[in-house]
Amino acid sequence: MEAAGPGGGTGTGTGSSAPRAKELFRNQRKDSEGSVDSLNLEFEYGDADSIVAELSELYSYTEGPEFTVNRDCFEEDFTIHGKGKKWVELEEAEHKTYLMRLLDGLEVINREKRLKFARAILYLAQGVFDDCYTDPEAVHWAQYNVFLLYEMGTFGALVELLNMEIDNTQACSSALRKPAISLADSTELRVLLNIMYLMVEIMRREVEDDKPEWSLARDGFRTELSSPVYNGEPFTVLLFSLVNKFCSGHTPHCPIKKVLLLLWKTVLFCLGGFEELQALKVEKRAKLGLPPLPENSIQVMRTLRAASPPASAMDVLEQQQKRGRRGRRVLVKQDSLDIYSERDEAQEDDDEADDGDSGIEGEVDPLEREALIQPLPSPRLPPERVFFPRCLPWAPKVREKDIEDFLEVSRSKFIGFTLGNDVDTLVGLPRPIHESVKTLKQHKHISIAEIQTKREEELQKSPVSLLNKIEAMLMITAEYSSIE
């Protein structure tokens, strides 16, 4: 069998091509597996990605044809009432007039007609992409339409329709009888969840050209989602109940991915992201009189290098068998902190590949053998590469309970009796135990959860006296605030 040579001619396959192929495969495997000298992944840890990426995450590939269906439902009705103009050519008053018509259409009894009006609203929330030429233009019109939809009270109407779909026993029983759930079974739910997700995700983001009325609408929407205005419960409780019904098997046709995405964005919108959480931690610890946090967990997480997934049991067993035959020490990568063991693993992989090629060593040309024997040049590390020290990136944190348990075990071993919750008495214990307790106390950490747990225990033991103390503290605080 002939193969094309590098010069464009042909030549017969010889034994010298096998080492080249193996060497090429070996280099490709090294590049794919990576080593300690390889660059880290270009991944940014944050609450959310860009708005285009977050909006595209909502849809699956099977929903592609529905974009055209949404546009057709909108244009079918808009051509009659749009006076021959496009949506982007109308004034705001005309936009509001047409939106009132769509909202009235959501209240019709006919299910198919109601779905058409919902699809038309979804097309508006998607940014009337058929009238736009670029992605930024579509995002701009999506923002404008979403804030306009919220101003017209669309979100409350969508929540009512969502409750109707959740309580639709006919759709649930029909889905339970089917051997497999199809995309058509969740059409109404998907349309409603898509509109809600677009409204929450777009309204929670602050942009450069943010209008003053948009900021006020954003604050009002955040308050509305956090308040029990939907059947006496916040909106997140409704989503959690929908997740619970899906997990229990009562709503198998529910698009759970969209529900979870909407739930995540709602919590992120109402409670804030990582930075707000860190600020609340610092503020709460200062109010409770606790020492400040030793580090910012978000910043520490961002400095960690990417970690490969843990090896399966079969892979570990295979590595042990191969390395056991050579009598070498087994090195297994465990987590993202074992960066120094990667050098040994890479070296062992090279030795393993060399052992595997020993059977065809006689077929290698002398020149190729010299090229393989030559030592590889030491890789140059990029200047931005950071080697982490051989220690944990987090500050050690020891609870009071950990110190108590350690002393209980030590007293039982060396003295023969225990002293309960006493962490100060070290009489009779050897010197190393004294040093250990001293080290543990240096890293003692009191969390906010421990303070809250102690208060709950005190409240259960003596509820009346503790409530009186709290009322007295509140009265003193009110007096001081009135004086100031």
Side-chain angles (χ1 to χ4, degrees), residues 400 403-404 407 411 421-426 437 441 444:
E400 182 80 13
I403 303 177
E404 294 176 1
L407 285 176
R411 287 169 182 150
N421 298 331
D422 188 2
V423 296
D424 297 325
T425 305
L426 303 178
V437 173
K441 288 184 177 180
K444 182 180 177 181

Side-chain angles (χ1 to χ4, degrees), residues 33-186:
E33 292 178 352
S35 64
V36 71
D37 298 331
S38 61
L39 288 175
N40 207 347
L41 295 179
E42 295 182 359
F43 185 84
E44 182 179 354
Y45 289 90
D47 298 320
D49 204 344
S50 63
I51 184 170
V52 177
E54 292 296 332
L55 296 183
S56 62
E57 187 180 2
L58 176 65
Y59 307 102
S60 60
Y61 291 106
T62 54
E63 294 181 271
E66 294 191 1
F67 283 85
T68 305
V69 177
N70 299 337
R71 182 198 60 190
D72 295 341
C73 291
F74 172 78
E75 293 182 347
E76 180 182 352
D77 185 75
F78 185 72
T79 51
I80 302 175
H81 302 84
K83 303 177 181 179
K85 296 182 179 180
K86 296 183 178 181
W87 176 264
V88 296
E89 298 174 352
L90 298 180
E91 299 294 334
E92 183 177 352
E94 297 174 321
H95 288 159
K96 292 182 178 181
T97 302
Y98 183 71
L99 286 180
M100 288 298 298
R101 168 178 169 76
L102 294 181
L103 292 177
D104 293 338
L106 294 179
E107 299 179 359
V108 298
I109 301 178
N110 192 322
R111 188 182 183 88
E112 295 182 359
K113 291 183 179 180
R114 190 168 65 241
L115 178 60
K116 287 185 177 181
F117 284 108
R119 286 188 178 278
I121 295 177
L122 176 58
Y123 177 71
L124 291 176
Q126 291 172 342
V128 288
F129 50 83
D130 198 49
D131 296 341
C132 303
Y133 298 97
T134 59
D135 289 343
E137 187 179 358
V139 171
H140 167 73
W141 279 103
Q143 293 173 345
Y144 171 82
N145 294 337
V146 161
F147 278 96
L148 200 61
L149 287 171
Y150 173 74
E151 182 182 351
M152 303 300 295
T154 308
F155 195 84
L158 295 175
V159 174
E160 294 180 1
L161 292 177
L162 181 62
N163 284 320
M164 291 175 55
E165 294 298 331
I166 294 174
D167 298 335
N168 189 358
T169 57
Q170 182 178 359
C172 296
S173 59
S174 176
L176 289 172
R177 288 194 300 266
K178 292 184 177 180
I181 305 299
S182 63
L183 198 65
D185 295 325
S186 60

Side-chain angles (χ1 to χ4, degrees), residues 98-335:
Y98 183 71
L99 286 180
M100 288 298 298
R101 168 178 169 76
L102 294 181
L103 292 177
D104 293 338
L106 294 179
E107 299 179 359
V108 298
I109 301 178
N110 192 322
R111 188 182 183 88
E112 295 182 359
K113 291 183 179 180
R114 190 168 65 241
L115 178 60
K116 287 185 177 181
F117 284 108
R119 286 188 178 278
I121 295 177
L122 176 58
Y123 177 71
L124 291 176
Q126 291 172 342
V128 288
F129 50 83
D130 198 49
D131 296 341
C132 303
Y133 298 97
T134 59
D135 289 343
E137 187 179 358
V139 171
H140 167 73
W141 279 103
Q143 293 173 345
Y144 171 82
N145 294 337
V146 161
F147 278 96
L148 200 61
L149 287 171
Y150 173 74
E151 182 182 351
M152 303 300 295
T154 308
F155 195 84
L158 295 175
V159 174
E160 294 180 1
L161 292 177
L162 181 62
N163 284 320
M164 291 175 55
E165 294 298 331
I166 294 174
D167 298 335
N168 189 358
T169 57
Q170 182 178 359
C172 296
S173 59
S174 176
L176 289 172
R177 288 194 300 266
K178 292 184 177 180
I181 305 299
S182 63
L183 198 65
D185 295 325
S186 60
T187 301
E188 290 80 4
L189 284 173
R190 284 187 294 103
V191 171
L192 297 176
L193 292 173
N194 285 343
I195 302 174
M196 293 180 176
Y197 179 88
L198 291 174
M199 293 184 67
V200 173
E201 175 61 19
I202 291 176
M203 290 191 66
R204 77 172 187 86
R205 291 176 175 266
E206 297 182 3
V207 295
E208 296 180 357
D209 56 344
D210 214 354
K211 301 178 182 179
E213 56 269 21
W214 287 5
S215 300
L216 295 176
R218 182 180 296 109
D219 296 338
F221 191 32
R222 182 186 294 108
T223 305
E224 180 181 344
L225 292 177
S226 306
S227 303
V229 295
Y230 303 107
N231 295 331
E233 295 177 344
F235 181 61
T236 52
V237 176
L238 174 63
L239 297 179
F240 274 117
S241 63
L242 187 55
V243 174
N244 187 24
K245 290 183 179 179
F246 175 81
C247 295
S248 59
H250 296 296
T251 56
H253 63 296
C254 174
I256 192 62
K257 173 190 173 183
K258 297 182 184 296
V259 175
L260 293 176
L261 286 175
L262 178 57
L263 178 58
W264 167 43
K265 295 298 183 179
T266 305
V267 173
L268 187 62
F269 185 29
C270 297
L271 302 181
F274 288 139
E275 301 300 335
E276 290 81 2
L277 176 61
Q278 184 68 19
L280 287 175
K281 286 182 179 180
V282 174
E283 181 182 357
K284 189 66 175 178
R285 292 184 69 85
K287 288 183 178 180
L288 296 176
L290 299 176
L293 292 171
E295 79 277 320
N296 188 339
S297 58
I298 307 303
Q299 298 298 331
V300 174
M301 181 186 66
R302 287 171 177 170
T303 57
L304 293 178
R305 71 181 182 89
S308 61
S312 61
M314 293 299 297
D315 295 338
V316 174
L317 182 60
E318 184 179 356
Q319 289 179 1
Q320 291 178 350
Q321 291 176 352
K322 290 181 179 179
R323 292 167 181 171
R325 288 195 298 266
R326 299 197 307 269
R328 301 184 65 88
R329 182 169 58 93
V330 178
L331 292 174
V332 180
K333 182 178 179 183
Q334 296 179 353
D335 54 21

Side-chain angles (χ1 to χ4, degrees), residues 378-408:
S378 59
R380 296 181 179 179
L381 298 181
E384 64 273 9
R385 180 64 179 175
V386 178
F387 283 97
F388 297 100
R390 305 189 73 174
C391 63
L392 293 175
W394 315 94
K397 300 180 181 65
V398 181
R399 301 178 303 169
E400 182 80 13
K401 184 65 175 176
D402 298 333
I403 303 177
E404 294 176 1
D405 295 341
F406 175 74
L407 285 176
E408 288 294 305

